[in-house]
Amino acid sequence: MRITDSGNQDMTRRNISFFLFIILCLLFFSCEKKAAETKGIILGFSQIGAESAWRNCNTRSVQEAAAEAGIQLLFFNAEQKQENQIKAIRSFIAYQVDVIAFVPIVTDGWENVLEEAKEAGIPVLVCDREINIQDESLYAGYLGTNMLVQGRSSAEFLIKKYINPDTGKFFTRRNQPVRIVELRGTEGSSPAIMRARGFREALAEYPEFEIIYSESGDFLRSKGYELMCNILEDNIVFDVLYSHNDGMTLGAIEAMKERGIKTDEDIVIVSIDAEQAAINALIRGDINCVVECNPKQGPEIIRLSQLLAKGETIPRMIFMIEEVFTEWDDVLNIGTRGY
Ligand code: GZL
């Protein structure tokens, strides 16, 4: 094929046009890719409710981390009802979110809705509380806290408090078993089950401890107050209060103080969560041991959700870092809790 000057000019024009086309395509796709990356994922998050300061901190942590990461968060508050959580998860499926994360209020009853999420190809992250399920393929992984250890740590404090490490002898005033009152969390929830189990396992070899009362206060301050009023009105004599969360503990302390009980002298109190009000009570001497349960799970939930949205796998169980604060620590330097 002979190429004349005009032919040359045509070829040059065609080459330039083609080159420009390629550049435009590359620009378009890189913008699309950038938009896709910065658009962020759509995360459906089903939260239990607002039953405690811990839960509200947990919610804020997720919302702030989602905003920070620039992802679209569909947040549903189930107001303490499992059926509302199931409805929320179904709406996330219908909306075709990229990832579903939820805090299961109780351990059982999730198979059907998680089957639906699996059929829709949407990965699920279980947060904070655990579920009891046969088919572990129905969720990608769990991020939360080790509640069995929290129960054990609570018991270990009491063992250290009441038993002389050198003689193995007991410190009780009446030389009788230490009488323990337990306020449990929400019935059927993994924190209530595991904190009770861990506590009992750690005390199993110490007959010097006796759990004489155990009722659920549903993690509510008002129920903690009400149960303690009942205990005192029934003249139940006890040495230790073991409470599954600070909200119930603070309610119980209020009831004891109203009846002239010197909670900083007469009763040993062990509480779980480590919200600021409980740390303040530890500093005052009202509480003797606060076992931390870390609510600030938002950044990790977002990080794991972004991995799942990219089709990556995550570890099955990830636990938050936590501490135990006791009367023997430098309580004035524990630092602010942020909730
Ligand atoms: C524990 C969390 C519990 C807290 C309570 O991880 O689920 O629920 O201990 C909260 O304060 O209500």
Side-chain angles (χ1 to χ4, degrees), residues 48 51-52 54-55 103 128-129 145 147 191 195 219 244-246 272-273 293 297:
I48 290 178
E51 75 280 2
S52 61
W54 190 100
R55 182 63 55 210
V103 179
D128 175 24
R129 297 186 183 179
T145 66
M147 300 164 197
R195 286 170 185 170
F219 288 127
H244 289 188
N245 90 322
D246 295 341
I272 300 176
D273 274 354
C293 175
Q297 302 170 1

Side-chain angles (χ1 to χ4, degrees), residues 21-221:
F21 171 72
I22 294 294
I23 292 296
L24 284 173
C25 283
L26 286 175
L27 276 175
F28 173 77
F29 286 117
S30 66
C31 290
E32 273 298 288
K33 187 175 179 304
K34 189 73 190 135
E37 279 170 0
T38 53
K39 169 176 75 70
I41 63 171
I42 301 177
L43 169 63
F45 188 86
S46 168
Q47 178 61 287
I48 290 178
E51 75 280 2
S52 61
W54 190 100
R55 182 63 55 210
N56 295 337
C57 178
N58 184 246
T59 291
R60 284 195 305 274
S61 178
V62 171
Q63 291 173 331
E64 288 165 5
E68 176 71 25
I71 71 166
Q72 189 179 335
L73 177 69
L74 301 184
F75 180 93
F76 272 62
N77 173 335
E79 294 171 348
Q80 313 305 120
K81 294 186 176 68
Q82 181 177 26
E83 62 264 28
N84 288 349
Q85 290 201 282
I86 291 171
K87 283 179 197 154
I89 293 171
R90 288 196 167 118
S91 63
F92 297 151
I93 294 169
Y95 192 82
Q96 295 179 3
V97 299
D98 296 299
V99 180
I100 292 170
F102 77 113
V103 179
I105 186 168
V106 292
T107 55
D108 299 334
W110 303 101
E111 286 79 358
N112 294 341
V113 74
L114 293 184
E115 282 286 359
E116 293 164 31
K118 183 178 180 182
E119 280 156 27
I122 301 175
V124 175
L125 176 66
V126 176
C127 307
D128 175 24
R129 297 186 183 179
E130 294 183 57
I131 57 177
N132 175 24
I133 203 161
Q134 294 307 315
D135 179 359
E136 289 213 337
S137 73
L138 294 180
Y139 66 98
Y142 165 81
L143 165 79
T145 66
N146 193 324
M147 300 164 197
L148 203 64
V149 165
Q150 291 160 6
R152 289 198 188 118
S153 301
S154 302
E156 284 158 8
F157 168 80
L158 294 177
I159 293 163
K160 193 172 174 186
K161 175 83 177 170
Y162 280 97
I163 296 180
N164 182 320
D166 303 324
T167 65
K169 288 271 180 258
F170 239 63
F171 289 130
T172 51
R173 282 191 299 272
R174 308 186 311 274
N175 206 21
Q176 290 179 2
V178 176
R179 299 159 61 86
I180 299 170
V181 156
E182 178 186 37
L183 301 183
R184 298 192 313 270
T186 302
E187 290 294 30
S189 69
S190 64
I193 294 166
M194 312 279 257
R195 286 170 185 170
R197 183 184 308 159
F199 187 72
R200 285 161 176 76
E201 285 174 354
L203 292 183
E205 58 185 287
Y206 296 94
E208 295 90 347
F209 294 98
E210 190 183 346
I211 299 173
I212 59 163
Y213 175 100
S214 179
E215 288 293 342
S216 170
D218 211 11
F219 288 127
L220 297 171
R221 178 171 182 146

Side-chain angles (χ1 to χ4, degrees), residues 143-146 292-295 318-323 337:
L143 165 79
T145 66
N146 193 324
E292 183 181 21
C293 175
N294 189 342
I318 299 179
F319 290 124
M320 300 293 289
I321 295 168
E322 296 168 328
E323 295 183 69
R337 309 296 302 154

